[in-house]
Amino acid sequence: MKIPFSPPYINQAVISEVTDALESGWITTGPKVKKLEDLVCEHIGVPNTLCVNSATSGLMLALKWYGIGAGDEVIIPAYTYSATALAVMHVGATPIMVDVNDDFNISVSAIEKAVTKKTKAIMPVDIAGWPCDYDEIQQLVENKKLLFVPNSEKQQQLNRIITIADAAHAIGAKYKNRYVGLTSDITVFSFHAVKNVTTAEGGAVSLNLPEPFNNQEEYDYLRCFSLNGQTKDAFTKSKAGGWKYDIIYPGMKINMPDVLAAIGVAQLPKYFSHILDEREAIYSYYQEFFKTKPWAIIPPYKNEDKLSSCHLYALRIKDISEEQRDIIIDAISKEGVAVNVHFQPLPLLTLFKNMGYDIVNYPMAYANFKSEISLPIYPQLTQDKLKYIVKTVENAVESCLC
Ligand SMILES: *Cc1c(COP(=O)(O)O)cnc(C)c1O
């Protein structure tokens, strides 16, 4: 049996919506993008959402909006995808990596130790779709208020460290009965091809800024900034008589095209009504199987405060070395099942190693990584396939351990 890791969910509704965009005479940012933004707001409950061409550029946009740049520090987990750190570096700031918990997510006590006068933002990452300790993080930024040194207009207005969540995995995840998005000042979702909801490439920046901010005004500013700082988008300019525009900010060019937004417009309502539940059912199937295995560490997924969006099934095998984990993955792959490792902690990657980050300072990140295997999770997985996957994993692990 051949089982891919994460094929996109493309049905007739998606194809019809994309065709509609193609046939409409307008293919870049316009009505489909607006529709997708409205759908994200309606489902999650955030006041405003801006769609952009990736989560990476959405994170950069949020950091730039807050006036973060050279000399500033941004606290991120060592256990994440590289984009979290690269976004910080692209705006000229310094990523301060901290260790994580046993649940893969950023450790609040590690954040606390890392805060300095230079800290401008904290970027929690909901690994695998499991929400971070958002209330504790929000409490921490309140507690550290006196240390904060504002040096931009927005920083003066908020007057504390901003929380910008990298929720690339976490659309639809819940924290204390609120969707992730209502849990930080700004939340960035990814619509990359392998994520729970996709537009092939894309991202969404959801605003949830407290008083005195007006989220609609900040949205208008960000929308303009994401389109070269131009006062009129191409859609408005394309109308007769609409030719005149001005450039008012040194903006970025990171807008999402309508052709891609159409995929998300067709997927998103179905995601909230069915697909999330289907992902959860697959997750439960794995949980039921692996919880009886003495060698398995099953991932967190649901407790009284948190509900995962089930983006990844991050299985860990007790007491194995990195080499053993790799042997197990080879054995699984030989049987046609595509698995993955999420993630290689950033300090193991050449770029960050060369910058001086050292994995010995992140023991939990390494421990999580060395024994981790991500299993496929998507609604097209039938019971037959799931049975084949768990048996294949079991055989591979047990033959390696004996
Ligand atoms: C996928 C991912 C990103 C980047 O998303 P893009 O839309 O591809 O830019 C950022 N952070 C994490 C944790 C991711 O998994």
Side-chain angles (χ1 to χ4, degrees):
M1 217 184 275
K2 284 253 175 296
I3 300 181
F5 186 70
S6 182
Y9 187 86
I10 304 297
N11 60 4
Q12 192 50 50
V14 170
I15 293 166
S16 303
E17 197 70 39
V18 172
T19 306
D20 186 58
L22 289 171
E23 289 175 349
S24 73
W26 189 258
I27 57 175
T28 190
T29 313
K32 299 281 188 211
V33 168
K34 190 80 196 87
K35 183 82 200 288
L36 183 59
E37 293 177 348
D38 291 346
L39 283 169
V40 172
C41 289
E42 273 166 41
H43 281 92
I44 293 176
V46 287
N48 293 88
T49 297
L50 177 82
C51 283
V52 290
N53 62 0
S54 72
T56 308
S57 48
L59 291 168
M60 288 170 61
L61 178 67
L63 292 161
K64 268 180 178 284
W65 170 84
Y66 201 49
I68 295 173
D72 294 332
E73 295 179 351
V74 176
I75 298 175
I76 65 167
Y79 198 90
T80 181
Y81 179 59
S82 56
T84 320
L86 289 172
V88 176
M89 287 154 61
H90 286 318
V91 304
T94 306
I96 303 296
M97 293 179 196
V98 303
D99 208 2
V100 295
N101 303 314
D102 184 49
D103 71 355
F104 297 98
N105 283 345
I106 193 163
S107 151
V108 178
S109 60
I111 298 175
E112 185 150 23
K113 291 190 198 103
V115 171
T116 73
K117 285 193 299 234
K118 294 181 181 168
T119 309
K120 288 287 155 48
I122 297 169
M123 289 171 51
V125 185
D126 306 308
I127 300 291
W130 179 245
C132 290
D133 296 321
Y134 281 111
D135 281 358
E136 286 81 356
I137 293 169
Q138 218 58 48
Q139 188 57 53
L140 186 146
V141 300
E142 288 300 326
N143 295 347
K144 298 281 183 183
K145 246 179 162 161
L146 288 175
L147 214 58
F148 187 75
V149 187
N151 56 20
S152 77
E153 194 193 320
K154 308 288 181 205
Q155 290 177 20
Q156 269 158 9
Q157 275 177 282
L158 188 62
N159 203 27
R160 60 162 169 76
I161 296 168
I162 190 170
T163 53
I164 301 174
D166 175 345
H169 300 179
I171 191 160
K174 277 185 173 166
Y175 178 82
K176 300 192 177 170
N177 271 321
R178 286 169 288 157
Y179 279 117
V180 164
L182 292 167
T183 41
S184 304
D185 299 315
I186 299 180
T187 299
V188 179
F189 300 105
S190 173
F191 297 142
H192 177 264
V194 302
K195 302 294 156 74
N196 284 17
V197 176
T198 184
T199 57
E201 295 284 354
V205 181
S206 286
L207 304 180
N208 181 45
L209 297 161
E211 296 280 328
F213 290 100
N214 176 323
N215 285 285
Q216 180 63 43
E217 276 172 21
E218 301 308 332
Y219 166 88
D220 292 339
Y221 169 85
L222 288 171
R223 173 156 254 273
C224 173
F225 201 91
S226 72
L227 267 157
N228 287 335
Q230 186 169 303
T231 49
K232 276 184 197 165
D233 62 20
F235 187 67
T236 313
K237 273 177 62 208
S238 73
K239 305 261 168 70
W243 67 272
K244 201 166 190 183
Y245 65 89
D246 196 7
I247 299 289
I248 49 177
Y249 310 118
M252 301 158 83
K253 183 63 170 61
I254 56 169
N255 55 303
M256 176 187 279
D258 264 20
V259 176
L260 297 188
I263 305 173
V265 165
Q267 279 190 4
L268 202 98
K270 185 123 204 281
Y271 176 70
F272 280 93
S273 67
H274 294 78
I275 297 175
L276 251 177
D277 291 343
E278 288 166 25
R279 298 188 79 97
E280 198 179 329
I282 291 162
Y283 209 100
S284 307
Y285 182 97
Y286 287 147
Q287 278 314 66
E288 290 306 307
F289 183 86
F290 291 112
K291 79 179 184 197
T292 62
K293 308 296 165 202
W295 42 260
I297 305 171
I298 57 172
Y301 137 67
K302 196 183 210 170
N303 67 18
E304 58 282 6
D305 289 339
K306 301 182 183 181
L307 178 65
S308 175
S309 62
C310 302
H311 174 57
L312 299 168
Y313 190 83
L315 180 67
R316 279 169 291 179
I317 315 298
K318 268 179 206 157
D319 304 321
I320 58 167
S321 66
E322 194 180 334
E323 292 72 25
Q324 283 174 304
R325 189 271 317 275
D326 295 351
I327 290 167
I328 295 169
I329 290 184
D330 279 345
I332 298 170
S333 308
K334 283 208 181 75
E335 299 303 317
V337 178
V339 293
N340 246 300
V341 174
H342 294 92
F343 289 95
Q344 300 182 73
L346 303 183
L348 289 180
L349 304 173
T350 302
L351 172 74
F352 304 107
K353 231 188 264 179
N354 290 345
M355 288 167 71
Y357 299 96
D358 187 342
I359 192 67
V360 301
N361 299 320
Y362 308 94
M364 217 42 227
Y366 185 73
N368 288 339
F369 154 75
K370 79 173 172 63
S371 59
E372 200 268 354
I373 303 171
S374 304
L375 307 186
I377 180 162
Y378 45 91
Q380 301 94 312
L381 285 174
T382 55
Q383 293 287 313
D384 275 3
K385 288 180 179 161
L386 289 172
K387 194 179 270 176
Y388 181 75
I389 294 168
V390 296
K391 281 289 167 198
T392 303
V393 172
E394 182 181 37
N395 291 341
V397 172
E398 289 182 354
S399 63
C400 175
L401 292 183
C402 72

